[in-house]
Amino acid sequence: RAHMATRRPPNALRAVFTGFAGSILTVGAAIASIGLTTTTVSRALVMRHKKKRNIKCDACKGGKFITCRTCRGKRGLEWQPVGDASVRRVCLCPTCEGTAMQKCINCLGIGLL
């Protein structure tokens, strides 16, 4: 008897919210998987179409990379502190990270249009 006295019936409000949250999570997961599948399929179709046309990018000539436009292929940027103009400093290019090349911004590094 003492054991039955401590046992309480399930909270109806908690059951409703648990079911509602479960439904929202299920619907959200379904929408995310549909979106992922659609994106993957459409990307594959676009790539197939580009390869079929085989039109090389004018900017990189199909090479996928161009000379870095930030450092102009120098791999670094020169700058001077405002207070002391006699000090010259060179820092690594933030765009190409010192490679002097960047992905072609015309074809997004694919090489085809």
Side-chain angles (χ1 to χ4, degrees):
R1 273 188 178 211
H3 183 52
M4 287 188 97
T6 59
R7 184 185 261 185
R8 296 187 325 207
N11 188 355
L13 191 59
R14 185 180 336 144
V16 168
F17 282 125
T18 304
F20 179 72
S23 298
I24 293 296
L25 288 175
T26 303
V27 169
I31 290 172
S33 70
I34 290 170
L36 179 65
T37 304
T38 305
T39 302
T40 304
V41 169
S42 65
R43 184 173 292 158
L45 289 174
V46 167
M47 283 305 296
R48 184 187 308 165
H49 180 70
K50 285 183 177 189
K51 287 180 182 179
K52 193 175 190 180
R53 286 185 357 185
N54 198 24
I55 299 174
K56 301 284 185 210
C57 175
D58 296 329
C60 67
K61 301 189 180 25
K64 301 179 183 180
F65 291 93
I66 59 173
T67 303
C68 179
R69 291 188 176 178
T70 304
C71 66
R72 294 183 179 90
K74 295 179 183 174
R75 300 176 183 209
L77 300 173
E78 295 182 24
W79 64 280
Q80 295 176 346
V82 176
D84 189 10
S86 65
V87 177
R88 185 179 138 233
R89 298 191 182 191
V90 178
C91 66
L92 192 65
C93 176
T95 303
C96 68
E97 296 178 346
T99 62
M101 302 295 283
Q102 72 180 58
K103 274 189 178 182
C104 178
I105 56 175
N106 191 38
C107 66
L108 302 176
I110 297 172
L112 301 170
L113 294 178

